[in-house]
Amino acid sequence: MPELRAPTPAFLDGLRELLGPAGLREGADAAPYLRDMRDIAPGRAAAVLRPGTVEEAAEIVRRCAEARVGLVPHAGGTGLVGGQLRPEGVEGMVVSTERLNRVREVNPDDDVMIVEAGVILADAQAAAEAAGRLFPLSIASEGSARIGGVLGTNAGGLNVLRYGMARDLCLGVEAVLPDGSILRSLKRLRKDNTGYDLRGLLIGSEGTLGLVTAACLRLFPRPAEQQAAFVAVTSPDAALALLHHVRAAVGEQLSAFELLSGVGIGFALEHVAGTRCPVDPVPEWSVLMEVGGGEGIGEALEGALATAFEAGLATDGALSQSDQQRADFWRLRESIPEGNRKVGSVASHDISLPLSRVARFMEEAAPALRAIAPDLRLNPFGHLGDGNLHYNLFPAVGRTRDEYAQAKGALTRVVHDLTHAHGGSISAEHGIGRFKAEDLVRYGDPAKLAAMRAIKAALDPHGIMNPGAVLG
Amino acid sequence: MPELRAPTPAFLDGLRELLGPAGLREGADAAPYLRDMRDIAPGRAAAVLRPGTVEEAAEIVRRCAEARVGLVPHAGGTGLVGGQLRPEGVEGMVVSTERLNRVREVNPDDDVMIVEAGVILADAQAAAEAAGRLFPLSIASEGSARIGGVLGTNAGGLNVLRYGMARDLCLGVEAVLPDGSILRSLKRLRKDNTGYDLRGLLIGSEGTLGLVTAACLRLFPRPAEQQAAFVAVTSPDAALALLHHVRAAVGEQLSAFELLSGVGIGFALEHVAGTRCPVDPVPEWSVLMEVGGGEGIGEALEGALATAFEAGLATDGALSQSDQQRADFWRLRESIPEGNRKVGSVASHDISLPLSRVARFMEEAAPALRAIAPDLRLNPFGHLGDGNLHYNLFPAVGRTRDEYAQAKGALTRVVHDLTHAHGGSISAEHGIGRFKAEDLVRYGDPAKLAAMRAIKAALDPHGIMNPGAVLG
C-alpha cells in the first residue's frame, strides 16, 4: 500500500494560486462536499478543489501525484456506497467537477452529445430532448447526480432493460489519468477496435483509475408513442412469467419492468404526498412496465396484457390513458425510495440475480432473515426486468431501526451470501465505494481481484486516486 | 521489452506429457494453424497446443510464463490483421482453443448461453435458435470463426446497429490470465458493478492480456417478422438521409443498414455464382436494410420507404416478398468480400467515421487517392448504419494489384490520415493485430497508449501473451 501525505501549507498555497477564489473551498464552504444524503460518516479533506478546465484538473492531479496527496472525486454527491466520502486516513483533497458543466455539443446526425462531467443528468436529458433525441439513462437522483458520477459508478436505473447501463451509453471519454496526463478519447463511433477498452475500464472504476472530465454519450430516437401499465400479480414468479410474455410480444420496445411490493407502496402512500395506487386494494405484488415505439406500440402492449390476463399471469391492472396518468404511475414508483427513507431501513441491498433465480432467492431469503429478526418487514422492489432488486429490510410497525442494529450485519450477510450462491451480484448498480470494499473481497473472484490490484498499481502507483474506495 | 526464450526440448516433452497426443500438433500437422486465408506471412511456432480443459489451458500458460515462452492464441484463424500469426521473433507456441468447444448451457429464461471459446460462431447461433432465441452477432466468416476469436477481436458485423459489438453481447467471461490463474467470471447479469470491467478489457485485447476460454453471451427474442429492402440511392449522402428517415420510423428495430457500391456489386455478379442484383441496371449506390419486430414491422418499413421515395431519398428499390428473397438480397451483400478477393484488392481498409462525416470523407478521399493512382477502382461498402466502411481499392480493368504495389503505402496513408482527421477509427471491427500496430502508435492518443502499455506490463510482465500484437 503506497503511503499518502497530508498537503503542506505551501502545496495548498500553490493550488489557491492556480485555481483562484472560485476554484477552492475551505472550512465551512467545504462542508457540503463532505456529507452525503444519508449522513452516515462525513468525509475529511484539507480543501475542495473545483477546476474550471480539464487542464486545471490535470494540473491538480499532477501536483497531487508528485506530492503523494490523495484525491477524492466528487460529482453530484448522490452515491450510496460512500465512494465520494473519505472519513479516514491521511487528510487529502476533494476534487469536484461541478464547474466543468458545459454541454459541448448535441449532434442528432451522429446521435451523440458531448457533455462535461459536471453536467447534471437531468440537464443532459433535457439537452437531448431539445434536439429531438432521447438520452435514456434515468435514476431517482437525476436532478442532482452529475455525469462524472454517473459514469464513475456505471449508473443503471430504470431503462437498462432496453438501453443498457451508463457504460453502454458512453462511446468515448476525456479523463485525467493518475499521472496527470489527459486521455483525449471523445470518440463518437459505434465501432472502434483500436486497442484496449480504457473507456469501459474508467467507467465504473469509481474514480480510482482517473477522473472523467467529459464524455460522448449515445442518443436514441424518441419513441413516437409510450404507454405504461400497472399490473397486479400473484407473486414475483408470476411477474417473471409476465415479463417473458410481454417481451415475446414487444421485444426490446419494453423499456422498463419494475417490481413493487405492497409494503413499499404502503410506505409511499403513507409518507409521500400526492401518491396513489392505480389498483385498489394495494396488491401484495405488482409490476409497472413501460413500452415505447412507433404508433401501435400501446395497442401491442394492450394485446399482450389481454392474453396475460387470460393466462392468469395478471390479476388486476390499469393501462395509462394519458401522459399524465403515465407520470402518476411513475410517481408512485419513484416515491418508494423516499417512503423507505421516511420509515428508515434496517438494511438495504442493491443486488442482482439471474432472472431464473429471482423467485427461489426470494423464497429462501425471507425465512432466513426472519430466523434472525422474526418481525422484519421486507420491501424488495426495483428493476426486475434486469434482475436488479433493492432488497430492503424495515422495522416492524412500532419499532425503530436502532432496535435491529445488532442484527444488521447478520441480516446483510444472509442477503449477500444467498445472492452470491445464486450467481448474483452484491452490487448491481450502486458500486462498491467504501461500504462494500470488504464484500468485494469476500465474494469476488480471486483472479479478478488480483488483476484489479495490478491495474490499479500500474495506473496509479502512488495510490492517490480515491484512496480506500473499491479496493479498500 | 521483456525477453522471450525459445522452448527447450524438455519443456516440449513436458507439454506432450501434459496434453497427450490430441493436445499437441507439430511439423506438418501444425502448418494449418500457421497460415491465414490471405496467405500473407506464415506464422512460426515450435508446436500447436490444444488444451481440452480450462485447467490444461491454465497449466500451459503458467508453464510458458515460468519459462518465458511466448504464446499466440488461435481460434478460427479468420482474423484479417495478423493477430493470430507471429512470423518473427523468438519461436514460441500457438495455443488453439478449438477443443474447448462445448455449448455448456442455453438458458432462455435468463436469455443467455454459456459457450466455450472453441465453439464456431454459426454453431452458437444455431444453439440459440434451437432454444427459440437469437444470438445476433453475424459476420462473413461465421462458418469458421470461433467464439474465442470473436471476443478476442471484439467482432462487429451486420447487426451492430441494433445489437452492438461482441463486447456488448457478452455478460461474463472465463479466461486464463497471463500468470496462469483462471478468472472465473461467467456472470449472467445485466447489472453488476462489482469492480473494474475486466470482461470488457479482455474482450478486444486480441489475446494480449489473457486467453478467453468461455463466455456468457446475451440472447434476444427472435423477431416475429423480418423484412429486407434493397434500395437505390443517388449518393452516400442520400443513403445517410435515408438512414435517419427509416430510423425515425422504426427506431431500433432497424437491425442492418448496409451500403453497396456499383463497383462491389459488379465484382460479385462477375465472380460469384448465383448472385443477382434486385434492381436493374446496377445502381452506382444502393442500400440493403433489414427490420425485425412484431407483426406489422414490414408494413412500417414499407410506409417509411414510400415517403422516402416521395421525398427523393430513394430512386428505385425492391422489398423482399419472401424469406427466400430476403436471403437472396443478403447473398448479394455477402458475396462482395468474395468478389473482392477474386479481383484482388490493391489495399483494403476497415474504417469507421462519425455519420456526419461519411459523405465529406468520401468526397475528399476519392480525388486524393486518384492523385496517386488515377485509374484506381474504389469499392467502399459496408455497415453504413454504424459508420463502418470497408474502403477498398482495386486495380483498373486489365491491370493487376502488383502494378500498384509501390503506391500501396501512400494510398493507405491517405485513407487513414483522412479517417483520423474526421474523428474516425483506422480499425472499426477487425482489430490491430500485427498489421496495424504501427498505425495504432501513429494515430492513437498518447495517454491511451501509455495506459495500455502500463496495463499490459502489469498483467503480463513477461510479455508472453500474443507477443508483438496490438502494442508491437
Side-chain angles (χ1 to χ4, degrees):
Chain A
M1 199 66 131
E3 236 173 81
L4 294 172
R5 302 180 196 147
T8 63
F11 182 84
L12 288 169
D13 282 345
L15 288 172
R16 277 184 204 104
E17 197 175 320
L18 172 72
L19 299 170
L24 197 132
R25 298 248 162 111
E26 295 170 276
D29 294 339
Y33 301 83
L34 301 173
R35 293 192 293 260
D36 76 350
M37 57 198 282
R38 297 202 271 195
D39 233 349
I40 298 180
R44 291 168 59 239
V48 175
L49 311 176
R50 303 167 70 238
T53 63
V54 60
E55 288 75 18
E56 280 184 2
E59 179 62 18
I60 288 169
V61 175
R62 199 193 60 71
R63 291 188 189 186
C64 285
E66 193 181 74
R68 312 288 194 263
V69 170
L71 268 176
V72 176
H74 192 278
T78 61
L80 295 170
V81 288
Q84 74 278 41
L85 297 174
R86 182 161 175 254
E88 288 165 2
V90 179
E91 196 168 64
M93 320 297 287
V94 163
V95 59
S96 161
T97 54
E98 67 192 329
R99 284 176 69 212
L100 304 170
N101 62 357
R102 284 184 312 140
V103 175
R104 290 190 195 164
E105 180 186 350
V106 183
N107 190 322
D109 287 335
D110 289 337
D111 276 326
V112 299
M113 64 179 172
I114 313 252
V115 297
E116 294 183 344
V119 171
I120 288 175
L121 174 53
D123 294 339
Q125 294 165 346
E129 183 170 358
R133 291 290 186 274
L134 174 73
F135 180 63
L137 198 140
S138 177
I139 55 180
S141 57
E142 62 198 26
S144 354
R146 294 172 194 267
I147 293 298
V150 164
L151 293 173
T153 60
N154 189 29
L158 297 172
N159 298 320
V160 172
L161 183 61
R162 179 172 189 169
Y163 297 103
M165 307 278 284
R167 187 182 286 123
D168 304 307
L169 297 171
C170 175
L171 296 173
V173 293
E174 174 192 89
V176 178
L177 299 183
D179 63 355
S181 62
I182 301 174
L183 174 73
R184 297 186 193 273
S185 197
L186 284 170
K187 296 283 185 78
R188 58 180 72 195
L189 305 168
R190 285 297 300 281
K191 288 182 165 179
D192 178 24
N193 274 346
T194 50
Y196 303 164
D197 184 22
L198 287 189
R199 172 204 61 87
L201 186 65
L202 284 168
I203 297 172
S205 70
E206 305 184 36
T208 63
L209 298 179
L211 181 75
V212 172
T213 54
C216 178
L217 302 177
R218 288 181 66 190
L219 302 180
F220 293 80
R222 294 189 79 79
E225 193 177 310
Q226 284 175 292
Q227 186 147 35
F230 185 97
V231 179
V233 295
T234 52
S235 67
D237 215 12
L240 284 164
L242 181 61
L243 170 66
H244 290 297
H245 178 83
V246 174
R247 279 191 81 177
V250 302
E252 303 100 305
Q253 293 176 104
L254 180 65
S255 45
F257 194 92
E258 299 285 308
L259 180 74
L260 294 82
S261 80
V263 173
I265 295 177
F267 289 171
L269 295 178
E270 192 178 337
H271 295 284
V272 186
T275 50
R276 56 173 294 276
C277 182
V279 168
D280 185 42
V282 171
E284 190 184 347
W285 296 106
S286 45
V287 162
L288 173 55
M289 67 185 88
E290 183 165 293
V291 294
E295 272 172 49
I297 185 66
E299 228 170 285
L301 175 63
E302 209 170 329
L305 288 178
T307 53
F309 276 100
E310 281 165 28
L313 296 177
T315 57
D316 197 354
L319 269 164
S320 63
Q321 302 299 326
S322 64
D323 279 356
Q324 180 56 50
Q325 201 176 12
R326 190 164 62 82
D328 287 345
F329 289 1
W330 279 108
R331 176 156 170 69
L332 177 64
R333 162 64 184 86
E334 283 159 9
S335 298
I336 290 176
E338 194 182 334
N340 287 347
R341 273 194 298 277
K342 294 273 170 66
V343 177
S345 74
V346 172
S348 58
H349 309 97
D350 165 43
I351 60 171
S352 64
L353 292 154
L355 290 182
S356 61
R357 299 300 189 98
V358 170
R360 222 175 108 194
F361 167 86
M362 302 263 259
E363 281 161 26
E364 292 171 5
L369 293 166
R370 294 223 162 90
I372 298 172
D375 62 356
L376 271 181
R377 283 184 293 174
L378 310 182
N379 176 23
F381 72 102
H383 320 300
L384 183 65
D386 29 64
N388 177 197
L389 291 178
H390 299 304
Y391 196 91
N392 295 357
L393 316 180
F394 293 87
V397 178
R399 300 188 67 189
T400 67
R401 60 197 293 174
D402 294 342
E403 298 175 48
Y404 300 80
Q406 293 274 341
K408 184 178 170 174
L411 294 167
T412 288
R413 189 67 186 267
V414 162
V415 173
H416 285 177
D417 279 358
L418 256 179
T419 300
H420 184 67
H422 283 291
S425 169
I426 54 122
S427 177
E429 57 175 8
H430 295 166
I432 297 297
R434 288 176 176 78
F435 299 167
K436 291 189 179 176
E438 277 179 36
D439 275 344
L440 183 67
V441 173
R442 174 172 295 130
Y443 301 108
D445 178 71
K448 176 173 174 175
L449 287 166
M452 284 175 59
R453 290 194 187 104
I455 291 169
K456 170 73 173 174
L459 296 183
D460 183 15
H462 310 308
I464 61 162
M465 292 304 301
N466 214 358
V470 186
L471 287 168
Chain B
M1 199 64 130
E3 236 173 80
L4 295 173
R5 302 180 197 146
T8 62
F11 182 82
L12 288 169
D13 282 344
L15 287 172
R16 276 185 205 102
E17 197 174 322
L18 172 72
L19 300 171
L24 197 132
R25 298 248 162 111
E26 296 171 276
D29 293 339
Y33 301 83
L34 301 172
R35 293 192 294 259
D36 75 351
M37 56 196 283
R38 297 202 272 196
D39 233 350
I40 297 179
R44 292 167 60 239
V48 175
L49 310 177
R50 301 168 71 240
T53 62
V54 61
E55 287 75 18
E56 280 184 2
E59 180 60 19
I60 289 169
V61 175
R62 200 195 58 72
R63 290 188 190 187
C64 285
E66 192 181 77
R68 311 289 193 264
V69 170
L71 268 175
V72 176
H74 193 276
T78 61
L80 294 170
V81 289
Q84 75 278 41
L85 297 174
R86 181 160 175 254
E88 287 164 2
V90 178
E91 196 169 63
M93 319 298 288
V94 162
V95 58
S96 162
T97 54
E98 67 193 327
R99 285 176 69 212
L100 303 170
N101 61 357
R102 285 185 311 141
V103 175
R104 291 189 195 164
E105 180 185 350
V106 182
N107 190 321
D109 287 336
D110 288 337
D111 276 326
V112 299
M113 64 179 173
I114 311 246
V115 297
E116 294 182 343
V119 171
I120 288 174
L121 174 53
D123 294 339
Q125 293 165 347
E129 183 170 359
R133 291 291 185 273
L134 174 73
F135 180 63
L137 199 141
S138 177
I139 55 180
S141 58
E142 62 198 24
S144 353
R146 294 173 194 268
I147 295 298
V150 163
L151 293 173
T153 60
N154 189 29
L158 297 172
N159 297 321
V160 172
L161 183 60
R162 180 173 189 168
Y163 297 103
M165 307 278 285
R167 187 181 286 123
D168 304 308
L169 297 171
C170 175
L171 296 173
V173 293
E174 175 193 88
V176 178
L177 298 183
D179 62 356
S181 63
I182 301 174
L183 175 73
R184 297 187 193 270
S185 197
L186 284 171
K187 296 284 185 77
R188 57 181 70 195
L189 305 168
R190 285 297 300 283
K191 287 182 165 179
D192 177 25
N193 275 347
T194 50
Y196 303 164
D197 184 22
L198 287 189
R199 172 205 62 87
L201 186 65
L202 285 167
I203 297 172
S205 71
E206 305 183 36
T208 62
L209 298 179
L211 182 74
V212 172
T213 53
C216 178
L217 303 176
R218 289 180 64 189
L219 302 179
F220 293 82
R222 295 189 77 79
E225 192 177 311
Q226 285 177 292
Q227 185 148 34
F230 185 97
V231 178
V233 294
T234 53
S235 66
D237 213 12
L240 284 164
L242 182 61
L243 170 67
H244 289 297
H245 179 82
V246 174
R247 280 191 81 176
V250 302
E252 304 100 307
Q253 294 176 104
L254 180 65
S255 45
F257 194 92
E258 299 285 306
L259 180 72
L260 293 83
S261 79
V263 172
I265 294 177
F267 289 171
L269 295 178
E270 191 178 338
H271 295 285
V272 186
T275 50
R276 55 173 296 277
C277 183
V279 166
D280 184 43
V282 171
E284 190 183 347
W285 296 105
S286 45
V287 162
L288 173 56
M289 68 185 88
E290 184 165 291
V291 294
E295 273 173 48
I297 185 66
E299 227 171 283
L301 176 62
E302 209 171 330
L305 288 177
T307 52
F309 276 100
E310 281 164 27
L313 296 177
T315 58
D316 198 354
L319 270 164
S320 62
Q321 301 300 325
S322 64
D323 279 355
Q324 181 55 51
Q325 199 176 14
R326 191 164 62 83
D328 287 345
F329 289 3
W330 280 109
R331 175 152 171 71
L332 176 64
R333 162 64 184 85
E334 283 161 7
S335 298
I336 290 175
E338 193 183 335
N340 287 347
R341 273 193 299 277
K342 294 273 169 66
V343 176
S345 75
V346 172
S348 58
H349 309 96
D350 164 44
I351 61 172
S352 65
L353 292 154
L355 290 181
S356 61
R357 298 301 189 97
V358 170
R360 221 175 111 195
F361 168 86
M362 302 264 259
E363 279 160 28
E364 292 171 5
L369 293 167
R370 294 223 163 91
I372 298 171
D375 63 356
L376 272 181
R377 284 184 291 174
L378 309 182
N379 176 22
F381 71 102
H383 319 299
L384 182 65
D386 28 63
N388 178 197
L389 291 177
H390 299 304
Y391 195 91
N392 295 357
L393 316 180
F394 293 87
V397 179
R399 301 187 67 187
T400 69
R401 60 198 292 175
D402 294 342
E403 299 174 49
Y404 300 80
Q406 292 275 339
K408 184 178 170 175
L411 293 167
T412 288
R413 188 68 186 266
V414 162
V415 172
H416 285 177
D417 278 359
L418 255 180
T419 300
H420 183 67
H422 283 292
S425 168
I426 55 121
S427 178
E429 58 176 6
H430 296 166
I432 297 297
R434 289 176 176 79
F435 300 167
K436 291 189 178 175
E438 277 179 36
D439 275 344
L440 182 67
V441 174
R442 176 173 293 131
Y443 301 108
D445 179 71
K448 176 172 174 175
L449 287 166
M452 283 174 60
R453 291 195 187 102
I455 291 169
K456 170 73 173 172
L459 296 183
D460 183 15
H462 310 307
I464 62 161
M465 293 304 300
N466 213 0
V470 185
L471 288 169

